[in-house]
Amino acid sequence: MATSNATPDSTPEPSPHGYSDDYVDPVAEAISAVIDPLIANAKVIAAAYAERTRLLAELDRLGHDRWIIAGLAGDPIESGRNDPDTQKHGPAWDDEELARRAMAAEVGCALRMNFQTAAMMICDAARFTEQLPLFHRALAEGRIGWGHVMKMMEVTASLPVDLPEHVLPRLEEMTLTAAEKLNPGKFAKVARELLESLHPIPLQDRVNAGMRERRVVLRPDINGMSWLNAYLKADEAQAIYERLTQIAKTLNDDAEADVTTSETTGAAPGAAFTAPRPDAIVCRSRDQRRADTYRDLLLDGIGPGGKLGRGIRGTVHITVPVLTLLGHSDQPAILDGYGPIDLETARKLTGTATSFTRILTHPHTGTILSVDRESHNPPADLRRYVQIRDNTCQTPGCNRQAVYSEIDHTQAWNTGGPTNADNLVSLCRPDHRLKHQSIFSTRQAPDGTLTWTTPGGKTYTNPRAHDLVRAALNPSATKPSPPGQPAAGDRGETAKPETGQPPPF
């Protein structure tokens, strides 16, 4: 399809059909009735992004005010500076670091996002409004979009802190016109090339620094799938992709299918007949073969020194509903850290497991009786129960798995808080320290649900995702109690099977 370089401000050419000047093309009129508001809407969205960055930058400024910093410090007993118990989580943050984390947590709770993501947003907003004022003004006026800003922020991320003062203003002047005329992808290419002519650090030094940032990232997706991304040097990533492509080309499913057919249906005279296999080879696309090669090399490939791979040997937590195992339900298995997976995959994973932890829950309410302990440190069974109950860190916006988090006493142990499930909760180490060292506070419901109160006076209750799934699948279990009878959570107790009745599993 041909493309056009016209913009909404372009002047149309005279009609080739000889219509009068006041003729209105009904097709163009119908499309313009939608496109014109769409263009106006894009400018409104751009202006909203500009205002959001201004507000986030203002919050960053507040985080540097001395009176704000002083007001964020928590109780000295809980601050980590004087409490030996808190010190085991790491040395206390200094005042500025505590303020930065507190502001990020305030934004994360308000916008329902990870605190680290919120911290990056605040940092980027402060850098954007301070270092790129021309781009901020263009965004507010709708002359560029948020995509152009993101590309510009990526391009300038490698610039050093002690950058000569003339570099950024000069780069803004050289690139702004391109941002107003090109899409974000093409603009980024122009910006990178122009920055190279101004960058004060040699490219080789920047490559060496980038190598220290190499990593692998797992991002869950839908339909039982996930993305596995690697951040590598450009030439190595390109070489890996090309090698996968070359290997994929050798995996000719069509040829294998032809061989199978000739061997099974075209037997020589006198040879015994062999029925076609029911699991005949399904031809794969090039992308599928490339992905399968990537999977096979990583799972069972040959490592450094010629050592053979050993397949998946990691610790995997899978919850399979007991009624599903009995064949009375079609509820899926749950893979910790991802979500629902098909039962065939669950059976394959459990088939390679070296040990199991069986957790039996009430098939209708999903409740487990808590175990009270007298010691400060929860024993392994109680810790495991809290981790499975919480699934993730119980800070709004945090997705770190509970098995990689710490166990916190909601009511501090040194103030009489018990070591039982009603007072224990999973918090990742940074959020655990934030709760202890700042004026953030938490309140725990009998079912383990945690409510946070922020320095800004806002309260946020953090529902567990699997509880919401259970409630949606079984609404009758969450119906309100009859009039005059308080709900189980309001009575401060956990729902239990009827007295004297054995559990139904």
Side-chain angles (χ1 to χ4, degrees):
M1 178 181 294
T3 59
S4 171
N5 292 324
T7 67
D9 297 326
S10 301
T11 302
E13 297 293 332
S15 172
H17 303 292
Y19 297 129
S20 61
D21 293 339
D22 57 354
Y23 171 77
V24 177
D25 185 346
V27 174
E29 185 178 30
I31 295 175
S32 294
V34 178
I35 289 295
D36 290 344
L38 184 62
I39 294 172
N41 176 256
K43 293 183 178 181
V44 171
I45 292 174
Y49 272 114
E51 176 64 6
R52 186 176 73 169
T53 56
R54 187 193 68 80
L55 293 172
L56 290 172
E58 177 65 14
L59 200 62
D60 178 74
R61 186 193 65 77
L62 285 177
H64 288 84
D65 282 354
R66 302 311 305 175
W67 69 279
I68 293 288
I69 292 176
L72 289 172
D75 188 327
I77 296 179
E78 291 290 318
S79 67
R81 292 177 173 83
N82 304 324
D83 184 6
D85 177 55
T86 306
Q87 286 286 351
K88 72 179 182 180
H89 304 302
W93 293 309
D94 59 41
D95 290 342
E96 291 189 359
E97 177 66 12
L98 178 61
R100 185 186 73 82
R101 290 176 178 269
M103 291 302 178
E106 188 81 52
V107 172
C109 288
L111 302 185
R112 295 187 299 278
M113 64 174 56
N114 185 281
F115 290 0
Q116 293 181 345
T117 302
M120 292 175 59
M121 283 177 51
I122 295 174
C123 180
D124 287 344
R127 181 165 71 90
F128 175 51
T129 56
E130 178 182 349
Q131 298 182 355
L132 300 170
L134 297 182
F135 269 70
H136 186 260
R137 186 182 307 118
L139 181 67
E141 296 173 355
R143 292 185 283 123
I144 62 174
W146 183 245
H148 298 92
V149 172
M150 295 297 292
K151 292 298 184 183
M152 188 64 168
M153 296 294 287
E154 292 174 4
V155 168
T156 58
S158 65
L159 291 173
V161 177
D162 56 346
L163 185 70
E165 293 183 358
H166 72 280
V167 173
L168 279 176
R170 178 60 179 153
L171 183 64
E172 271 199 298
E173 294 175 0
M174 297 171 67
T175 57
L176 185 54
T177 300
E180 294 174 343
K181 293 183 177 296
L182 300 175
N183 65 42
K186 291 181 178 179
F187 159 70
K189 183 176 183 297
V190 171
R192 284 194 297 267
E193 293 180 3
L194 293 176
L195 176 61
E196 196 59 44
S197 66
L198 300 172
H199 208 295
I201 300 178
L203 179 58
Q204 185 61 56
D205 293 346
R206 283 180 276 142
V207 170
N208 295 338
M211 281 290 292
R212 292 192 290 270
E213 300 297 324
R214 62 189 183 277
R215 59 192 180 275
V216 175
V217 179
L218 176 66
R219 181 168 62 87
D221 203 59
I222 61 174
N223 298 328
M225 307 293 287
S226 289
W227 290 99
L228 184 62
N229 302 324
Y231 185 67
L232 303 169
K233 282 186 62 182
D235 60 314
E236 293 176 348
Q238 184 69 27
I240 291 172
Y241 186 82
E242 291 299 328
R243 186 183 184 214
L244 291 174
T245 301
Q246 293 301 321
I247 296 176
K249 289 180 180 179
T250 67
L251 303 178
N252 193 332
D253 291 342
D254 294 335
E256 294 178 8
D258 292 341
V259 171
T260 301
T261 302
S262 63
E263 290 178 348
T264 57
T265 61
F273 172 77
T274 303
R277 294 184 303 172
D279 55 342
I281 293 176
V282 177
C283 294
R284 297 171 292 176
S285 68
R286 179 69 57 80
D287 282 339
Q288 291 171 333
R289 282 178 276 166
R290 188 185 291 115
D292 292 346
T293 301
Y294 178 76
R295 174 202 62 201
D296 294 340
L297 288 175
L298 289 180
L299 287 180
D300 294 296
I302 298 177
K307 297 180 180 179
L308 295 177
R310 299 183 57 192
I312 295 179
R313 292 296 183 273
T315 300
V316 178
H317 288 184
I318 301 176
T319 300
V320 183
V322 64
L323 293 185
T324 298
L325 291 179
L326 296 176
H328 301 312
S329 172
D330 58 357
Q331 283 187 271
I334 303 297
L335 176 63
D336 190 23
Y338 174 78
I341 60 173
D342 59 284
L343 290 179
E344 180 180 353
T345 299
R347 292 189 186 99
K348 289 180 180 179
L349 290 176
T350 55
T352 62
T354 57
S355 63
F356 294 88
T357 299
R358 184 175 62 181
I359 303 166
L360 297 179
T361 63
H362 191 291
H364 300 297
T365 66
T367 58
I368 303 176
L369 296 179
S370 60
V371 180
D372 202 347
R373 303 286 180 173
E374 296 299 329
S375 63
H376 173 274
N377 296 324
D381 56 346
L382 180 56
R383 175 181 292 271
R384 187 162 54 246
Y385 162 66
V386 172
Q387 291 171 342
I388 293 170
R389 179 199 67 189
D390 294 344
N391 190 250
T392 65
C393 167
Q394 290 303 288
T395 305
C398 185
N399 295 321
R400 185 182 293 270
Q401 295 183 38
V403 293
Y404 302 127
S405 301
E406 298 177 341
I407 302 295
D408 174 55
H409 287 73
T410 300
Q411 179 187 354
W413 168 258
N414 54 16
T415 62
T419 302
N420 60 33
D422 292 346
N423 191 50
L424 297 179
V425 69
S426 302
L427 294 180
C428 69
R429 173 164 291 192
D431 294 340
H432 194 179
R433 293 176 64 186
L434 180 69
K435 182 246 183 180
H436 276 278
Q437 297 181 23
S438 71
I439 57 174
F440 276 89
S441 62
T442 60
R443 184 177 70 256
Q444 186 171 349
D447 65 351
T449 302
L450 206 62
T451 297
W452 287 74
T453 300
T454 73
K458 307 294 185 183
T459 59
Y460 301 93
T461 299
N462 186 58
R464 292 185 293 268
H466 53 279
D467 287 344
L468 297 178
V469 173
R470 185 183 296 116
L473 293 175
N474 190 18
S476 60
T478 60
K479 286 183 178 179
S481 302
Q485 179 180 346
D490 296 335
R491 296 192 300 268
E493 61 190 40
T494 306
K496 305 177 179 66
E498 293 181 357
T499 305
Q501 296 295 324
F505 39 69

